[in-house]
Amino acid sequence: LASDLVQHWLANNPGASICTQEGVRAFKAIANFQDYHGLPEFRNAVAKFMGRTRGNRVTFDPERIVMSSGATGAHEVTAFCLADPGDAFLVPTPYYAGFDRDLRWRTGVKLVPVICESSNDFKLTRKALEEAYEKAKEKNIRIKGLLITTPSNPLGTVMDRQTLRTVLGFINEKHIHLVSDEIYAGTVFCYPGFTSIAEVVEEDKDIECDRDLVHIVYSLSKDMGFPGFRVGIIYSYNDAVVTCARKMSSFGLVSTQTQHLIASMLSDDEFVKGFLEESAKRLAQRYGVLCRGLGQVGIKCLASSGGLFLWMDLRGLLKKATFEAEMELWRVIVQQVKINISPGSSFHCSEPGWFRVCYANMDARAVEVSLARMRIFVHQNTEARKKSCSYRKLRLSFSSRRLDEFLVSPHSPFSQSPLVKAYT
């Protein structure tokens, strides 16, 4: 949503790149071999930016910044450092589907789900942690750590301070590691705000905390919209982990040109301040448009304050409360309604009928068309249920012609444009 702000900065600061006439003088020095620790100016800028995305309530030591090729690489390196093949991490559900790849494929590490439920808005509880931990013990699975994501992907919710205190108390008692994935820290757009695990570690002196057990994974893929730059960060309070991760980072370094450019951009305080404020404003606006639009046809979403997506409740549209029915509904929406959403089962959600909707990668017209299609789909679904019609009959009646008729009708909330047909 805020890529235009970055493009504007790049146009006004061509010297930040060694691939421009203005920056070519630095080409030889930057293109030459560099220390695996990363450029000092890069680590300083990233540490400062991490503090900015957390409201400057906590500071980060640049000497503990370890770079990696995206959050994917950061998670894998962290898993290699903390666990052996066959060991496991607890992960609250629903969780990012990519963790099954990032933490497991090459490390041999297992993931044990901690079941969170919609009855309390999928909040993590001590009871759920204990139950998952004990079940793992019964199966002779050695738990080496707990992985949390805040703001959550796919929920978009943040963990409040009390939950983070509970988490720290739990890992301290069990003497297992905590990995806090905070890659969406800068996407929080409304109350409640984001609290980093680093804030609790630094400030809450009334709880016991072994800092050697606490590690943070961060990246610029989401907060800055740089997924193609592959800038991942491991920040650990454990000296041995920092040393080990830094040695392993040689297999997935961030290019020095990228480091040089990022350091220049993130050192521009005025730009960073404006970017974060405008990004939050645009995310809040888009979130509101989608929630209101879906709410008008009776679709509810989990209340959230961060991330780039909605957690949409379509349980009322399921033919049965099963994951098979969820997949059937998903296929209709993707193949016939032509809206790309993700079923909750792909995030290990324990309850069928929840879906993730990404909204930060669409323009305003795509949002309008998507909402229009959902209106038609829900309307037809309601009518079909009254006539005991199957999804098969329902999707045969859904067409781009019906969409065009709806968009130009007096009841349509959207202005007609010839561009609409490009999305059908």
Side-chain angles (χ1 to χ4, degrees):
L1 278 176
S3 61
D4 61 304
L5 302 178
V6 174
Q7 292 171 1
H8 180 73
W9 186 91
L10 291 171
N12 290 329
N13 296 270
S17 172
I18 60 174
C19 299
T20 64
Q21 183 176 353
E22 293 81 356
V24 73
R25 290 182 180 179
F27 180 87
K28 184 176 181 180
I30 297 301
N32 205 352
F33 182 81
Q34 300 289 342
D35 194 314
Y36 287 165
H37 289 200
L39 299 176
E41 58 268 31
F42 170 77
R43 288 186 286 110
N44 289 334
V46 169
K48 185 177 180 180
F49 183 73
M50 289 176 66
R52 288 290 294 271
T53 58
R54 291 149 180 82
N56 288 322
R57 295 181 299 274
V58 63
T59 58
F60 293 89
D61 181 359
E63 294 303 314
R64 294 191 175 280
I65 295 286
V66 181
M67 61 179 174
S68 180
S69 180
T72 294
H75 273 296
E76 184 182 64
V77 168
T78 303
F80 271 125
C81 290
L82 301 180
D84 295 318
D87 293 343
F89 283 87
L90 298 173
V91 191
T93 65
Y95 64 80
Y96 170 54
F99 285 155
D100 292 315
R101 170 201 64 204
D102 300 351
L103 279 82
R104 296 176 56 234
W105 279 10
R106 299 199 298 181
T107 65
V109 169
K110 300 176 181 179
L111 300 183
V112 175
V114 179
I115 304 301
C116 301
E117 301 172 337
S118 63
S119 58
N120 71 336
D121 296 331
F122 297 99
K123 290 182 179 178
L124 179 62
T125 64
R126 177 68 184 241
K127 181 175 181 290
L129 287 168
E130 291 287 358
E131 289 178 352
Y133 186 84
E134 291 304 320
K135 286 181 180 179
K137 282 183 60 178
E138 292 172 4
K139 297 178 181 179
N140 293 319
I141 298 175
R142 185 168 68 163
I143 300 297
K144 289 298 294 289
L146 166 64
L147 169 61
I148 61 173
T149 306
T150 178
S152 165
N153 177 5
L155 302 178
T157 55
V158 297
M159 287 191 179
D160 58 40
R161 198 179 198 95
Q162 185 53 52
T163 300
L164 294 175
R165 287 169 59 90
T166 297
V167 164
L168 279 179
F170 177 80
I171 64 110
N172 241 23
E173 179 183 314
K174 307 299 184 184
H175 199 69
I176 60 176
H177 293 275
L178 172 64
V179 179
S180 182
D181 182 321
E182 300 183 357
I183 71 171
Y184 293 96
T187 68
V188 177
F189 50 81
C190 66
Y191 179 86
F194 173 65
T195 301
S196 170
I197 194 67
E199 296 177 50
V200 184
V201 169
E202 299 284 355
E203 299 173 1
D204 293 18
K205 306 300 183 183
D206 60 319
I207 59 174
E208 185 180 357
C209 175
D210 182 352
R211 293 190 175 202
D212 281 349
L213 299 175
V214 181
H215 324 277
I216 296 172
V217 168
Y218 186 60
S219 86
L220 299 181
S221 296
K222 306 305 187 292
D223 283 357
M224 292 297 295
F226 291 160
F229 279 15
R230 311 308 301 149
V231 180
I233 299 297
I234 301 168
Y235 188 90
S236 177
Y237 290 94
N238 188 315
D239 293 339
V241 171
V242 170
T243 300
C244 179
R246 186 157 285 149
K247 290 177 180 178
M248 294 189 66
S249 71
S250 61
F251 297 101
L253 294 173
V254 179
S255 75
T256 51
Q257 155 61 8
T258 299
Q259 293 183 54
H260 178 68
L261 177 63
I262 294 297
S264 299
M265 185 179 296
L266 298 188
S267 297
D268 187 335
D269 291 338
E270 183 177 352
F271 166 75
V272 170
K273 180 177 183 296
F275 177 90
L276 291 175
E277 291 176 353
E278 183 62 22
S279 176
K281 178 182 176 181
R282 295 182 186 184
L283 287 172
Q285 182 180 29
R286 179 63 58 81
Y287 172 82
V289 167
L290 276 170
C291 283
R292 288 190 297 271
L294 293 171
Q296 289 172 2
V297 291
I299 298 176
K300 296 181 179 180
C301 298
L302 182 71
S304 59
S305 61
L308 311 175
F309 24 71
L310 294 173
W311 191 235
M312 182 170 62
D313 185 0
L314 296 186
R315 288 177 293 179
L317 297 182
L318 295 181
K319 293 165 68 174
K320 295 180 180 180
T322 65
F323 288 108
E324 290 76 15
E326 176 183 276
M327 293 305 294
E328 183 180 0
L329 176 59
W330 172 73
R331 281 190 289 269
V332 172
I333 294 175
V334 171
Q335 298 173 5
Q336 304 299 322
V337 187
K338 303 297 183 182
I339 297 178
N340 186 13
I341 61 175
S342 303
S345 54
S346 65
F347 301 97
H348 301 271
C349 184
S350 61
E351 304 171 21
W354 292 89
F355 292 80
R356 189 188 73 168
V357 180
C358 293
Y359 57 78
N361 58 347
M362 298 188 290
D363 59 28
R365 290 169 296 167
V367 173
E368 291 177 356
V369 174
S370 297
L371 286 174
R373 289 180 176 181
M374 284 304 296
R375 286 174 181 272
I376 296 174
F377 176 66
V378 173
H379 174 73
Q380 291 186 351
N381 183 277
T382 301
E383 293 299 315
R385 284 174 177 272
K386 290 180 181 178
K387 298 176 183 179
S388 299
C389 184
S390 68
Y391 278 138
R392 182 175 178 80
K393 293 180 181 178
L394 172 66
R395 61 177 180 261
L396 284 174
S397 68
F398 191 95
S399 68
S400 59
R401 180 180 177 183
R402 286 293 305 277
L403 174 62
D404 290 340
E405 291 173 352
F406 174 79
L407 288 168
V408 298
S409 75
H411 305 291
S412 171
F414 311 124
S415 58
Q416 171 63 356
S417 165
L419 291 172
V420 168
K421 293 184 179 181
Y423 290 90
T424 60

